[in-house]
Amino acid sequence: MRKAHLAILPTREGRTAERRVVNLAASLREPGATLADAEVVNLSVGGFAAETEAVLETGTHVWLKLPGLEPVNSKVVWVEGNKAGFEFVTPLHPATLDLVLVAGRRPMVKRHFGAGAVANSGGLKAR
């Protein structure tokens, strides 16, 4: 059995928590605004970074919605193009972070190689 690997970025000056490199589909919403799609690229108990087409300004509060988690109030702390960093108003509990990471993992697709692979894919019949 092959185990999955999770990248953990070391803490740097000014950071209080380890960031986990992720690729999670999420949505962001400013109070009173519509939802915007986002991709969370790193996550910690203290905040996250995401890529989104939403127009964000430093200091703005947004709600982050991830699968399996209630919306979390966050503050935009930096913006660079379509990428932004956010700080959670109330840090996540470490167990909540673990649950989000487990929920975001997808099983690897098993692919078979060889003559039977194409035949069993539904496109062609085996001879």
Side-chain angles (χ1 to χ4, degrees):
M1 174 184 249
R2 177 176 255 183
K3 294 183 179 180
H5 294 281
L6 176 67
I8 300 176
L9 300 176
T11 56
R12 294 190 320 210
E13 250 181 73
R15 293 198 186 275
T16 58
E18 291 179 334
R19 293 176 293 149
R20 317 268 176 112
V21 176
V22 296
N23 180 5
L24 301 172
S27 57
L28 298 172
R29 182 179 65 82
E30 289 184 60
T34 58
L35 289 174
D37 290 333
E39 179 182 340
V40 175
V41 295
N42 71 51
L43 183 65
S44 74
V45 293
F48 65 100
E51 294 179 2
T52 181
E53 296 299 319
V55 177
L56 300 168
E57 293 183 23
T58 302
T60 304
H61 282 261
V62 298
W63 291 91
L64 169 69
K65 179 63 178 122
L66 287 166
L69 185 66
E70 291 294 320
V72 182
N73 191 1
S74 310
K75 180 180 176 183
V76 180
V77 292
W78 59 265
V79 177
E80 292 178 6
N82 67 340
K83 192 171 180 181
F86 304 81
E87 179 180 34
F88 294 128
V89 172
T90 302
L92 296 180
H93 187 279
T96 301
L97 177 62
D98 290 341
L99 287 173
V100 169
L101 295 174
V102 168
R105 289 190 187 130
R106 295 188 180 115
M108 291 184 62
V109 175
K110 293 183 180 179
R111 300 191 184 206
H112 301 281
F113 297 95
V118 174
N120 294 331
S121 68
L124 299 174
K125 292 184 181 180
R127 293 183 183 183

